[in-house]
Amino acid sequence: MTDGGVVVDEAIRAAWDSYSLLDKRTSPKERQQAQQRVDAALDAHGRAEVSRGTVFLVGVLTGYLITEQSDGEDRLDPLSDLIPAVIRRLPTFEMADPTQVPMVTGVLMAAAMGMDTVAWRDQFGQISPKEALVHSFVLWLLADLFDSMTERHGTLDQLMRQTFEAMAAEQG
């Protein structure tokens, strides 16, 4: 995103931690650790960078869900399956501001078209806190969809944790 690898890694990690904070199955200890990482990233890099990390993850996960399904069977069509399924479920989050739906839909569309979601979103200015929250809900919904496709809750979270551990090892 802007300031090199460490900022990118911390902002993306904090963005993923928003998933853990939303997931009711996260243990109290893990929730506390996730909140501490989010707070540290917000203090060090600001809300804008963490929000951009969430947009990045939405793009990566959307792209993965569209292109990496087993043998092309039951492939999710982004326009008729994936995006409508996510948008229809947003109202289940009481704090999801419906006025943010057009922008988060645009991010999903940009991802479906193979575009850089962060660059696409950046052209519209800074992400508001209300919009950032809705992007976090979208990330959770995409992760939930991924897990349901693998028929095992926590599959994506485990993959993300392994990715963050590998990134930390490379830096350390």
Side-chain angles (χ1 to χ4, degrees), residues 11-152:
I12 292 171
R13 175 63 198 234
W16 182 251
D17 282 329
S18 68
Y19 161 84
S20 298
L21 295 173
L22 290 171
D23 192 6
K24 293 176 182 154
R25 293 173 255 204
T26 302
S27 74
K29 180 181 178 183
E30 289 174 328
R31 187 178 307 280
Q32 181 181 19
Q33 292 169 341
Q35 186 64 58
Q36 289 171 343
R37 285 189 300 269
V38 169
D39 291 344
L42 289 171
D43 289 345
H45 309 294
R47 181 169 304 282
E49 202 63 26
V50 174
S51 297
R52 292 174 80 233
T54 305
V55 169
F56 171 78
L57 287 175
V58 165
V60 169
L61 192 49
T62 300
Y64 185 82
L65 285 167
I66 291 168
T67 61
E68 296 297 323
Q69 295 162 31
S70 61
D71 302 325
E73 292 181 31
D74 298 327
R75 193 176 181 125
L76 287 175
D77 179 80
L79 297 179
S80 63
D81 299 324
L82 179 68
I83 296 171
V86 170
I87 299 305
R88 274 194 303 270
R89 288 188 60 202
L90 274 175
T92 63
F93 295 93
E94 290 179 19
M95 295 179 63
D97 180 355
T99 64
Q100 304 306 317
V101 171
M103 188 60 76
V104 298
T105 302
V107 169
L108 288 166
M109 289 293 297
M113 294 186 301
M115 298 171 69
D116 177 335
T117 53
V118 175
W120 184 88
R121 177 55 193 86
D122 281 349
Q123 70 184 329
F124 299 102
Q126 193 167 2
I127 299 170
S128 73
K130 286 182 178 183
E131 180 188 340
L133 184 59
V134 178
H135 285 299
S136 293
F137 296 152
V138 168
L139 182 62
W140 187 92
L141 290 167
L142 291 170
D144 186 57
L145 178 60
F146 182 96
D147 287 351
S148 70
M149 290 174 66
T150 62
E151 298 179 359
R152 198 172 125 237

